[in-house]
Each structure stands twice: as C-alpha cells, then as structure tokens.
Amino acid sequence: MALHVPKAPGMAQMLKEGARYFRGLEEAVYRNISACKQFAQTVRTAYGPNGMNKMVINHIEKLFVTNDAATIIKELEVEHPAAKLMILASQMQEQEIGDGTNFVIIFSGALLESAEDLLRMGLTPSEIVDGYELALEKALEILPTLTCYEIKDYRNETEVSKGIKTAIMSKQYGNEDFLTSLISRACVSILPEKTTFNVDNIRVCKILGSGVHNSQVVQGMVFKRNVEGDVTKKSQAKVAVYSCPLDITQTETKGTVLIKSADELMNFSRGEEQLLEEQIKSIAAAGTNVVVAGAKFGDMALHYINKYNMMAVRLNSKFDVRRLCKSVGATVLPRLTAPTREELGYADEVRVDEVGETSVVIFRLEGRESRISTIVIRGSTDNYMDDIERAVDDGVNTFKGITKDGRFVPGGGATEIELARQIASYGETLPGLEQYAVKRFATALESFVKILAENSGVKANDVLSKLYAAHEEGKKNFGFDVEGEGTSVGDVVQAGILDLYINKMWALKYATNAAGTILKVDQIIVAKRAGGPKPPNPSSVVPDDD
Amino acid sequence: MQPQIILLKEGTENSQGKSQLISNINACQAVVDAVRTTLGPRGMDKLIVDSNGKSTISNDGATIMKLLDIVHPAAKTLVDIAKSQDAEVGDGTTSVVLLAGEILKQIKPFVEEGVHPRIVIKSLRKASQLAIEKINALSVKIEQVNVEDHRQLLEKCASTALSSKLVSQQKGFFAKMVVDAVLLLDELLPLNMIGIKKVQGGALEDSLLVSGVAFKKTFSYAGFEMQPKKYNNPKIALLNIELELKAERDNAEIRVEKVEEYQKIVDAEWQILYNKLDLIHKSGAQVVLSKLPIGDVATQYFADRDMFCAGRVPEEDLRRTMKACGGAVMTTAHDLNDSVLGRCEYFEEKQIGGERYNIFTGCVNAKTCTIVLRGGAEQFLEETERSLHDAIMIVRRTIKNDAVVAGGGAIEMELSRHLRDYSRTIAGKEQLLIGAVAKALEVIPRQLSDNAGFDATNILNKLRQKHAQGSCWYGVDISREDIADNFEACVWEPAVIKINALTAASEAACLILSVDETIKNPKSGDGAPPAMGRGMGRPM
C-alpha cells in the first residue's frame, strides 16, 4: 500500500497503520469525481425508452435483467464512498417519488464532470457549489412555468393513463399502451375517497407462461396456492379470517391431561371431536362460506369444514392475511370463535382457477369499490416478469405522484433543453465567478438529450442543435422523438410524452445536493477495515503460495 | 500516478458492450445445440446423468433443459421459456428453445454490423405480432357439434404430440388412451385427477386405462390373506383414522389407585379401538381405506366380517378415490353414515406384473382415471410418463380452445412466407430484420428433415414453392421423405401451442438482445477467497 499512496507525515503518524488518507484536489476531489463518473456511466445506457438492460447477478446469485436504475444500484455492491453518496441521493428519490432514480444519478454525474473542468480552470469547489445552487434555484423557478398539462380528475382512467405512459415507456418500450391501461385501471379502481393512495394496495402476482398481453387486472386478491379442503368455488362468499391455526386448541403452557378412570379415557377424544365440531358449526352458523387462516388447518378441522360445506384457504404470509382483510373488509380473529356480522368479510366470488399450470385462489370483488386490486402478470421468463413488475411499480408510484400533484412537464428532453437554455442566458447576467458554474449546470442538463439520442443510435449533437433551434423559436415543447427515424425532433406534448413535475423537481434537487456534497469533500480518511482484506488470513495465503 | 479507483467490491465481474451481447447470443446457441437433435418424430433422445448419479433418458425439451443445470445468466432465459411453455401448454418445449435460438442466430450478424438492438427488438415484436395474427387467421376451428368428430380431432392432436416421442410406435394406442382419460374428467380438467402408475415388466401394449382408481396394494398386516379380494357394488369408507391401539393424546397421563382400575383402563383402550371398528362395520362399508396405518387387530377384525381394508394409502390416491366414488374422507368414526360412503360397481385386487393393484371401476361419478403403464426399463417408463403428460396437456388445451393448425413444419413455413411477403412491402432496416425472423422460422422444418436424415435444403425448396403457390398446409412428410399436405395427413397441433411458442421465443430473444452489460457480484460467504488474492498484493 505504501508504494501507491504517499503518506503525509503528520496525518499518517496519527492514524493506525493500514488507514488510508487522501486530501487535496488531486487525491480526493478528482478521484471522487472520476469514481462517480464511472458509476454514472453504468446506468447511463439504461436511460430512456431505448436504454439497454443490465444483467446484474447479486451476491446470492440471483439474476436481474433490468433497466431500472433503482434496482441496479440496489444490487450493485458499491464500495466507493463518493459513489455511495450518489446512491443515497437516488434512493431518496426512490422513496420520495418512486421513479426518476436514473435521472438523479446521471445528472449528478454530469454535474461532477462539468465541475472537474471548472476545477482545472482554477475555480474553488465552493464557488462551483455556489454556482450550482444558484442555477438550481433558478431552475426550480422556471420549472413551474413549463407545466404543459395537469391532471385534475385523477379518477378518470384515460387522463391518468396519459400521465403514467411515459414512466412505463422508459421501462417497457413497446408494451407501454397495454401496461398503462392495466395500471391506470387498477389504480383508479382502488382510489380511496378520503385517505391518500397507498402504493401497497396494488398487488402484483407473477405467473409463468403465456405472454405479457395476457396480463390482467383482478379486483380483489389473487394468491398462488390451492385450497385446503374440497370446496373450490363460492359465490357471494362471507369470509372469516383467522390468524390462529384451525385445529384442536393446544395450550401454550405445558401440561398433561390427567385421566383417572376408564370412562374418562373412553370419552376423551370423542369430547375433543365434539368440541371442535361445535366450534366449526358455530362458524358455519354465522353464515361463513369461506374460512381463511394464517396458519395450518388441522385434519380434523378440515373434515368439519368440508362437512359444513365451507371453503378453506391457507395463507402463509401475515401481510397477505392483513391485505386480504382490508380487501374483503373482514376482521382478523385471533381465536377460533364464531365471527360476528361485522367481523365477516364479503367477496363476490372466491374460486380456484388455473392460470397456466399454476393454481390460484381468486377473491374477486365486482362492482363495489374494492380496496385492493391485483395485476396478474404473465410472461415467458421469471426475469422478464420481474422487470415488468418493476415497471408496474414505477407506474403505480407515478400515479401516487399524480394524486399529490397533477402537474406535468414535457418529457423527451424538452424540459431539460428549455431549462438549459434559460439557465444559460441567466448565467450571462451574473457578475461573479458563479457564471461559469451556472453555465456548466446548463450544459449538464443537455446530457439527457444526448443520452436519449445516443441510446437510440442517433448522433447526439445534431439532435441537440435542432432542439436548441426549435426552442429559440419558442417551441417550448419540442423534444427528441424516439419513434422517428434519425435525428427527428417533435412536439412531445402532442405525442403524449409527459413527465411528472414533482418528479423532475425532486430529482434536480437531490442530484444537485449530491454533487455539491461530493465536491465539498477534500479529505478522505479510510480507517483500517476490521477483519478486512488487509490482514492476510490463512485461507487466502495458502492458495497464494502454491 | 493515480491509484486505481475501486468502485465496486473486489471480485465483481463486469462486462459490457456489443461483445457482451454477442457472447450472450453465443451462449444461447450452445444451449440450443444441446436440444436441437431431439425435435420431431425422428429426433434422438438424450441421456443425462445428474449430480446424484441418477440417469434420465428424454427427448422432452423442458426436462432436458431443467436437468442441464445451466449457469450462464443469458442462457438461463432459454431454460425459463422452456419451463413457461411447459406450464402453459405442456408441449412444444423443444420448438420454443429452437425458435428463440434461431432468431438470435439470424439477428447476430445485424448486431455485429452495428444495428441498434432497440431497433431489432422493435422489429422482433412486430414480427411476432404479425405471425400470431396470421396463426389466428389460419387456424381451423373445429366445431363441437358431433361428439365423435370432436374425439377424432383430439386423437389426432394427441397422436401428433406423441409421434415425436419414444412411444411413437404405439401412438395410436396411447392417443386413444389419453383422449379417453381426459374426457373422463370434469370441466376444470384437473391434471392431478389422472393418475399414472408405472409397473415394470410386460409390453407397452399391456398398459391399461382404468376408468376409476387404481393404486398399488399397500403394506398389509396379518389377516389380510383372509379378506375377500373382489366385491360387486361395495360401499367404500375413506378414513383418516389410525386403526391401531394408540395413545389417545400425547401428553395425557393416567393415574390409577386400584389394581382393578388398571385392568379397566387397559380394557378401555381396546374398547376404543373396537368401538371404532364397530362403527365402521355398522356403517355398511365393505372396503375400508385409510391414510393412516391399519393394524393387525383391525385387519383381522375386518377379515372376520368379510371386509377389505388397506392402510397407509397415499393422500392423492385417497383424494382421487373420493372424487371417483363419492363420499368424504372421515377423520372420525362417529359420523360415518351412508352419505359419506363412496360407491363403485366393482372392486378387485389384481395382479399386474409383479405387483398387486387395488382397482375400483364403474364409479358413480367417475371424474378421474388411472393409467397403468407397463414396459421394460425404469427410465423407459419414466420417459413414457413424460410423453403421456405432454399428450394429456395437448388434449386438455385442445378441449379448452379448439383451433388447430397443421404440424410438421407447415405452419412455420406459412408464417415464414407471410412475414417475408410483408417485409418486402416496407422500407428501412425493419425489412431485413423481419426477413431474418422469417428465415428463423424455417428452422423447424429444416431441423425435422435434418433429424430424419433428409436433404433439408431440397425439402425446404419444395416447401417454399408449394407455399408460394398458396397451399398453406404443406409440411414435411417424415414417412415418405417428401412433403405432403399435413392437414389432410392429420398432423394437427393446437394453435395455442404455436402462439405461445412464438410469444415466448420472441420475448426471450428481446430480453437477451436488450442486455448490454453484465455485472456479477461476488458470491457472499464462501465466494471471497479467490477475490482476495489480487487485493492483498504481493508487493507487501
């Protein structure tokens, strides 16, 4: 190690041996910048509808095929501290909006790249950061004026699908129309009257086989399992939900049953049977058709459930039980008691169906507003379905964004170019050194159009100049047209390519903040890792010596 | 000199760019080559020995792919589509892998020349959409007016599926059996209601279909010999009760104060058992089946009263018996009455090969059946079972959607022609790409001919000519080394197989083409040591 890193005499003495220490522009800032650039490069090609997928194999050998930046960075084990900062920013975006993660990484990467040039020109990092902050402020000021469309009635499926389409397009180009209609139908149908929209209420169920176009929305829930008992179909079902096992009640406390006489022994199991039958009978008497339990069904209990012609469904996940309750409006019963009228849930139909080769139990709720809906995704490979699931996820998150703020800005790079144009001219008006940084901010914004064009195999500079020309003429909604041949530009609003306003706003904020934080770092101290690769452990020494 | 920047964890493999895409395609090609020769009636089988030393002989694409244990991430996609085809239609697994591989192979030169993968993907999607529309337009709907005609149709589909399997010699025999079996089921057509039992020995033709339930005689206790083995119109009790002296409850404890009491307790245990047996006897059942063991005492008790019993019957057999004979599986003897007893016309314990089988026939609501397979080697029987499974799935699919197309490469040739014609009408790169898909579709008849040892080029030329003249059902005729109208020749396949195969193949191809970077993280846990060597550095 000592060969590579020159140690400052003062610092190195203070630190424990093995710790690494970098400082100054050369060692720390440029290094950070190039690490971040390299990282941004990885996700850069995944941006936009024509972005390429990445195959990521994580540490437990699970394969992901995706162009969703959030997934890629989650599965990558990034070591570099500065790159980690970018990831944090992007994760914030994921949590706040649920989409636009790639935007954050690319933009902060581009900002850092521009900063490198400025640093070499002799600006100090803090001047650059100040300039960026100024530019950001200006950008956020301009952004609302670019709003080109607003969804007011977010119960209208066609309006909503217009908004979601772009988000899906960047993930599943070619299937966007179909998926968008699925998602908007699912989202609108479960939109609650008063409370806010909960992303968790759109479930996704993946079943191997067939093709994407056979995916469907089911109002209610779909579980990939079969029923326990013999009854496979109930319509207008009253559903009782239990969190306990349906079996002869066992005591928690360890105890023995004390039998004193022969008669007691003779009647013991009969008594137990009768007790259970009574319980099941009372459940049936309350009008229950379907019994759902979060734990196991005993043989004996199942027997009586069959006898009283009820359907038995077992769910393994506690969360599933809770969601089902929400969906059918039932209360979970922790003990084996007869449910009251209020505790019973209702589903229009509960039945077993075969999708492909998989048996599924469907709790269908027609007509009435159900509070959970499930998108059944079909596809030919697991990875493909996983990727569609992520697209659906982004779409649902976009819908959530719409319910918060229905404003849209033009997509396809149009917003970025307009911002870049206005910020560049704003930069001219500034007196100080910030001018350079502000201008660079504008240049960084251009990178989106460049990437969109590059990913589609089109010359980036041609597109850029065409767009600038169009925007100078006042055509604010002109963006890169991915559908067209070659370097074509067009009105993206007419093409229905819209980006969520708050998505852009937060992404700009997070990216600038991340870039600022990284720039302000001028010293890196890496402590010696506990049990890390430094001390040669026997297992690695042996193969080395052979 | 700047020190190297460590962005990712050490040991992470990262490959990127066009070369990565090409290498993925090459990996898929290698996988396709493994199953290529199994296609069609003259396809060869593969013998695969897995890590446990168990050998499997099969020509079922999905089975082979599953056993191959592929680690290459891109090639795994092909395994997935084979599985998906298996799950959705149950047959055509080899075709789907072959098709995906061939599409990739035809596309490869374009990628090498620098066509952007996204453009390729767009064209692929378009091509598959066009092809599916064409299948839907071409497929012949067989109307279910006549039961006899419908049956004929099903048998043809089944025999087409079977003709590419190991049992193709007996396809007529098995096609009939499979159709009979499926038609016995109720409208949901549950697959698990068709039991397949394998008995070694005898010839394939000795296999039989039992329109009811058959299962291997279970382990029996003393007294079994005295029980009658044949009944006419028996009543059947299905139990989930252990008929044996046993502890009433695990954690129960008995305390007695007097010696007489002790004897009483012992008697009581016996009494409990006898009570149960009495109840069963009184219910009028003549055949008693239980999921749990039936002990000596019970066996002898039943033998004395002219009843038959079998304990430890596998759960699924018991369920099938219940479906066939009616009644319910009882967990307690107290509720036994006439309504929960099953009925059938004839029960018999029969010798089949070296084993004895319990057979229930003439069941009241026979929604289930059992196929007893006979044959030589164990692996041979297993392969026969897989073949029958495929055929059963085909018949089920055909019943659900009754559109058929001609097999033997006919539909693929027609689709290929259609796509090629279409491609000539458009300008731009799409023309070449759709043309490539059209070419890829020809792989099915080509491989069929290759596997049969014919001159594929010659056959394909003849086929192209026929299809250009408008005879859309011409395909490879394996028996005459020529081409023939396969619709006339009754080589039929359900349209849904082809639709699913095309969808899956194009989805897989798109997926593989859309990847331009692979990042492999080091395996957690034991994966660390090899990566360490570099990090440590000798210069220390």
Side-chain angles (χ1 to χ4, degrees):
Chain A
M1 214 17 121
L3 275 182
H4 298 288
V5 186
K7 272 185 192 169
M11 207 53 173
Q13 277 170 358
M14 275 155 52
L15 297 173
K16 215 176 188 177
E17 201 178 331
R20 285 174 293 163
Y21 170 71
F22 314 99
R23 61 171 212 163
L25 275 185
E26 247 352 284
E27 271 178 34
V29 183
Y30 290 154
R31 271 173 61 105
N32 284 345
I33 289 176
S34 52
C36 293
K37 259 163 62 186
Q38 206 179 327
F39 181 66
Q41 200 64 42
T42 306
V43 290
R44 198 184 159 103
T45 49
Y47 184 72
N50 284 342
M52 302 294 283
N53 286 350
K54 308 281 161 201
M55 221 174 229
V56 182
I57 300 157
N58 72 359
H59 63 106
I60 48 168
E61 306 246 288
K62 190 175 174 346
L63 175 67
F64 295 84
V65 179
T66 181
N67 63 6
D68 180 40
T71 315
I72 299 175
I73 55 168
K74 204 172 358 165
E75 298 307 330
L76 281 181
E77 286 177 31
V78 173
E79 282 275 280
H80 199 279
K84 269 190 183 157
L85 279 174
M86 274 165 89
I87 290 177
L88 281 180
S90 148
Q91 274 167 355
M92 300 247 272
Q93 171 81 3
E94 169 82 17
Q95 277 164 20
E96 188 68 32
I97 311 290
D99 193 14
T101 43
N102 208 340
F103 187 98
V104 176
I105 295 177
I106 294 176
F107 190 49
S108 54
L111 283 178
L112 288 171
E113 203 175 336
S114 313
E116 192 178 356
D117 294 344
L118 292 174
L119 286 171
R120 291 199 196 280
M121 270 169 62
L123 268 73
T124 59
S126 58
E127 277 164 347
I128 298 173
V129 174
D130 283 348
Y132 282 174
E133 300 270 316
L134 267 177
L136 174 67
E137 248 170 61
K138 185 70 187 167
L140 295 181
E141 211 174 281
I142 301 169
L143 202 56
T145 64
L146 297 179
T147 314
C148 59
Y149 184 74
E150 188 170 355
I151 293 181
K152 295 209 177 63
D153 176 17
Y154 43 76
R155 288 181 194 281
N156 185 338
E157 260 180 51
T158 37
E159 282 217 5
V160 168
S161 47
K162 249 178 148 176
I164 298 177
K165 195 174 152 196
T166 317
I168 301 298
M169 212 163 165
S170 71
K171 295 288 175 316
Q172 283 295 324
Y173 186 47
N175 296 326
E176 72 272 6
D177 285 327
F178 179 73
L179 285 176
T180 310
S181 68
L182 275 188
I183 296 167
S184 47
R185 198 180 328 145
C187 290
V188 171
S189 66
I190 63 152
L191 193 66
E193 293 287 341
K194 284 180 193 123
T195 49
T196 50
F197 175 77
N198 186 355
V199 182
D200 203 34
N201 289 351
I202 303 276
R203 308 300 308 159
V204 170
C205 182
K206 293 170 282 182
I207 297 170
L208 192 66
S210 193
V212 186
H213 287 270
N214 289 330
S215 306
Q216 50 177 317
V217 180
V218 175
Q219 300 300 334
M221 301 202 67
V222 177
F223 297 105
K224 266 205 272 185
R225 34 184 332 121
N226 210 333
V227 285
E228 302 286 312
D230 299 333
V231 187
T232 53
K233 192 173 174 179
K234 282 278 170 198
S235 39
Q236 294 178 350
K238 294 231 173 80
V239 187
V241 184
Y242 293 93
S243 59
C244 61
L246 253 73
D247 206 350
I248 298 164
T249 344
Q250 303 271 349
T251 49
E252 279 298 322
T253 322
K254 191 172 180 289
T256 45
V257 181
L258 200 59
I259 294 170
K260 290 230 176 70
S261 72
D263 283 345
E264 274 178 34
L265 181 64
M266 298 262 286
N267 292 325
F268 179 72
S269 51
R270 182 75 190 130
E272 236 178 14
E273 281 168 22
Q274 271 167 347
L275 192 70
L276 191 65
E277 181 167 7
E278 275 310 309
Q279 284 172 333
I280 305 277
K281 199 174 168 182
S282 66
I283 295 173
T288 317
N289 301 126
V290 179
V291 183
V292 178
K296 130 176 195 291
F297 280 90
D299 277 341
M300 186 70 81
L302 209 53
H303 167 76
Y304 287 116
I305 290 173
N306 283 337
K307 186 176 169 186
Y308 290 103
N309 196 20
M310 293 189 287
M311 192 164 161
V313 182
R314 179 181 172 187
L315 299 177
N316 273 338
S317 148
K318 279 218 163 84
F319 298 102
D320 277 347
V321 173
R322 206 153 69 201
R323 286 186 201 111
L324 180 72
C325 281
K326 214 171 157 189
S327 173
V328 298
T331 314
V332 189
L333 299 167
R335 284 189 59 219
L336 201 54
T337 47
T340 60
R341 184 185 281 271
E342 292 77 41
E343 284 163 343
L344 274 177
Y346 174 83
D348 285 287
E349 190 182 38
V350 183
R351 68 189 167 93
V352 178
D353 202 352
E354 198 187 46
V355 184
E357 205 178 36
T358 326
S359 293
V360 289
V361 180
I362 301 177
F363 288 78
R364 194 187 290 280
L365 293 136
E366 307 268 357
R368 196 179 69 117
E369 262 203 5
S370 80
R371 269 156 282 184
I372 286 190
S373 65
T374 308
I375 299 178
V376 180
I377 293 178
R378 308 297 314 277
S380 52
T381 67
D382 287 328
N383 299 318
Y384 192 51
M385 287 193 293
D386 285 345
D387 206 28
I388 291 174
E389 185 186 358
R390 284 188 283 269
V392 169
D393 222 36
D394 279 3
V396 174
N397 275 313
T398 310
F399 180 76
K400 192 182 180 191
I402 294 176
T403 60
K404 279 185 192 158
D405 186 342
R407 277 181 291 173
F408 280 89
V409 291
T415 310
E416 286 83 359
I417 288 296
E418 186 58 25
L419 282 176
R421 197 179 62 85
Q422 296 198 21
I423 289 173
S425 53
Y426 164 72
E428 309 269 320
T429 64
L430 290 173
L433 276 175
E434 314 88 70
Q435 206 188 67
Y436 292 104
V438 172
K439 273 191 183 163
R440 286 293 179 163
F441 189 90
T443 328
L445 278 169
E446 283 171 7
S447 58
F448 290 98
V449 176
K450 278 193 196 159
I451 292 168
L452 275 181
E454 272 167 22
N455 286 351
S456 315
V458 176
K459 263 189 193 157
N461 288 330
D462 285 0
V463 178
L464 207 55
S465 50
K466 274 193 188 176
L467 278 182
Y468 266 124
H471 280 256
E472 265 328 310
E473 284 168 27
K475 294 175 188 159
K476 278 188 189 172
N477 296 338
F478 261 54
F480 176 59
D481 181 11
V482 273
E483 307 258 349
E485 289 285 318
T487 57
S488 60
V489 293
D491 190 329
V492 283
V493 178
Q494 269 172 16
I497 304 168
L498 303 166
D499 279 340
L500 207 53
Y501 162 74
I502 47 168
N503 183 351
K504 279 267 154 34
M505 182 187 82
W506 285 109
L508 284 172
K509 269 191 195 168
Y510 285 136
T512 318
N513 285 345
T517 321
I518 293 168
L519 279 175
K520 277 181 179 164
V521 172
D522 76 331
Q523 287 194 355
I524 309 175
I525 302 165
V526 186
K528 184 177 148 186
R529 239 200 229 183
K534 284 289 127 43
N537 54 7
S539 65
S540 68
V541 166
V542 176
D544 248 4
D545 288 349
D546 286 337
Chain B
M1 184 187 78
Q2 262 205 9
Q4 200 204 345
I5 296 156
I6 310 159
L7 181 62
L8 298 172
K9 208 169 183 175
E10 277 176 50
T12 307
E13 292 166 32
N14 192 348
S15 43
Q16 200 176 1
K18 204 200 285 172
S19 58
Q20 157 73 13
L21 184 49
I22 300 288
S23 92
N24 279 347
I25 294 180
N26 289 341
C28 294
Q29 228 79 75
V31 175
V32 174
D33 282 338
V35 292
R36 184 181 286 275
T37 51
T38 63
L39 186 81
R42 299 283 167 88
M44 305 300 276
D45 292 355
K46 304 278 166 200
L47 196 153
I48 301 160
V49 184
D50 66 11
S51 51
N52 300 326
K54 187 175 172 280
S55 60
T56 311
I57 298 178
S58 178
N59 77 355
D60 177 46
T63 314
I64 299 173
M65 299 290 273
K66 262 181 233 162
L67 288 171
L68 276 179
D69 204 12
I70 292 168
V71 285
H72 193 282
K76 260 191 192 158
T77 314
L78 292 185
V79 182
D80 276 352
I81 56 170
K83 275 191 204 155
S84 136
Q85 177 82 0
D86 203 25
E88 189 67 18
V89 267
D91 193 24
T93 46
T94 311
S95 328
V96 69
V97 176
L98 201 57
L99 213 51
E102 192 65 20
I103 293 176
L104 286 173
K105 188 178 161 191
Q106 297 295 342
I107 294 294
K108 195 168 115 183
F110 294 102
V111 177
E112 277 169 342
E113 280 164 19
V115 179
H116 197 275
R118 281 288 159 189
I119 299 171
V120 180
I121 288 168
K122 212 170 142 193
S123 315
L124 270 185
R125 288 214 173 112
K126 176 119 192 208
S128 74
Q129 204 187 333
L130 279 170
I132 286 164
E133 275 165 22
K134 185 73 181 164
I135 295 180
N136 282 330
L138 276 178
S139 63
V140 179
K141 266 240 185 284
I142 305 288
E143 279 163 38
Q144 288 193 26
V145 269
N146 191 330
V147 181
E148 197 50 44
D149 282 355
H150 191 231
R151 222 199 120 79
Q152 290 281 322
L153 159 81
L154 295 179
E155 274 186 29
K156 277 168 195 162
C157 287
S159 65
T160 310
L162 284 170
S163 67
S164 65
K165 308 288 182 199
L166 206 55
V167 289
S168 56
Q169 293 302 312
Q170 284 83 16
K171 68 178 176 190
F173 175 75
F174 279 115
K176 193 170 169 305
M177 182 185 275
V178 164
V179 174
D180 280 336
V182 176
L183 288 181
L184 277 171
L185 303 177
D186 55 8
E187 83 269 21
L188 259 179
L189 303 175
L191 191 60
N192 57 0
M193 283 301 138
I194 301 180
I196 298 183
K197 303 282 166 193
K198 292 163 285 186
V199 185
Q200 273 188 38
L204 271 178
E205 285 86 355
D206 294 337
S207 305
L208 58 122
L209 174 76
V210 181
S211 59
V213 190
F215 53 85
K216 208 169 128 183
K217 184 184 86 100
T218 52
F219 180 79
S220 54
Y221 286 87
F224 180 75
E225 302 76 28
M226 297 185 299
Q227 293 178 346
K229 302 292 189 291
K230 274 182 200 163
Y231 288 98
N232 279 315
N233 293 318
K235 287 179 184 169
I236 306 155
L238 306 166
L239 303 174
N240 186 12
I241 311 171
E242 193 173 337
L243 294 174
E244 182 69 288
L245 281 175
K246 62 162 197 153
E248 275 299 296
R249 202 185 158 100
D250 293 339
N251 58 353
E253 194 182 318
I254 296 173
R255 288 213 184 134
V256 285
E257 271 117 35
K258 282 175 275 179
V259 182
E260 306 88 76
E261 270 296 310
Y262 182 72
Q263 188 54 44
K264 265 193 200 161
I265 298 272
V266 174
D267 288 345
E269 277 200 335
W270 283 85
Q271 199 53 49
I272 290 169
L273 178 60
Y274 276 119
N275 279 348
K276 281 185 196 163
L277 295 176
D278 274 342
L279 279 166
I280 295 167
H281 177 57
K282 272 190 205 131
S283 71
Q286 280 153 309
V287 177
V288 180
L289 304 179
S290 177
K291 207 153 58 175
L292 297 171
I294 295 181
D296 308 14
V297 182
T299 311
Q300 279 158 30
Y301 176 94
F302 288 136
D304 286 347
R305 284 162 187 77
D306 254 4
M307 290 161 75
F308 175 86
C309 70
R312 292 195 184 132
V313 178
E315 160 122 42
E316 54 161 0
D317 285 329
L318 204 65
R319 271 185 102 95
R320 290 221 320 276
T321 316
M322 184 178 81
K323 281 274 178 187
C325 305
V329 178
M330 303 299 287
T331 339
T332 159
H334 292 281
D335 293 336
L336 267 181
N337 55 41
D338 216 38
S339 66
V340 298
L341 292 181
R343 281 172 187 78
C344 75
E345 263 171 31
Y346 186 63
F347 165 78
E348 189 184 13
E349 186 179 302
K350 216 165 143 184
Q351 186 85 20
I352 299 178
E355 280 155 8
R356 293 192 73 81
Y357 266 75
N358 295 333
I359 297 175
F360 299 82
T361 46
C363 308
V364 257
N365 39 359
K367 294 289 185 216
T368 174
C369 58
T370 311
I371 295 172
V372 181
L373 285 180
R374 305 296 313 277
E378 193 189 328
Q379 280 122 352
F380 183 71
L381 277 177
E382 274 174 21
E383 176 61 9
T384 312
E385 184 185 350
R386 278 193 291 273
S387 311
L388 287 190
H389 169 262
D390 282 7
I392 290 169
M393 288 299 284
I394 289 291
V395 175
R396 289 177 66 208
R397 289 299 152 199
T398 321
I399 291 178
K400 282 186 179 170
N401 9 356
D402 50 0
V404 293
V405 293
I411 184 73
E412 283 85 2
M413 280 312 286
E414 183 58 21
L415 290 176
S416 167
R417 187 194 63 80
H418 176 69
L419 286 181
R420 197 174 293 120
D421 287 353
Y422 174 81
S423 74
R424 304 238 161 96
T425 63
I426 47 171
K429 289 173 199 155
E430 271 197 345
Q431 183 189 28
L432 291 171
L433 294 166
I434 292 181
V437 178
K439 184 132 194 280
L441 279 167
E442 283 181 359
V443 73
I444 304 277
R446 177 180 290 276
Q447 199 61 44
L448 279 176
S449 319
D450 273 349
N451 287 351
F454 304 158
D455 181 354
T457 320
N458 193 13
I459 300 252
L460 277 184
N461 283 341
K462 282 190 197 166
L463 280 177
R464 279 195 209 108
Q465 182 215 11
K466 278 288 175 198
H467 280 267
Q469 284 167 358
S471 337
C472 64
W473 295 130
Y474 266 79
V476 184
D477 183 351
I478 298 292
S479 49
R480 290 192 295 120
E481 191 172 344
D482 201 358
I483 58 167
D485 188 332
N486 274 348
F487 204 79
E488 299 276 293
C490 297
V491 184
W492 294 355
E493 287 183 90
V496 61
I497 300 191
K498 295 293 167 198
I499 293 176
N500 198 62
L502 269 169
T503 324
S506 78
E507 273 182 11
C510 290
L511 192 72
I512 291 168
L513 284 172
S514 70
V515 173
D516 77 332
E517 184 169 4
T518 307
I519 300 162
K520 191 171 181 190
N521 281 324
K523 208 171 151 189
S524 62
D526 51 25
M532 290 248 226
R534 187 164 54 101
M536 264 181 37
R538 277 295 181 82
M540 294 280 278

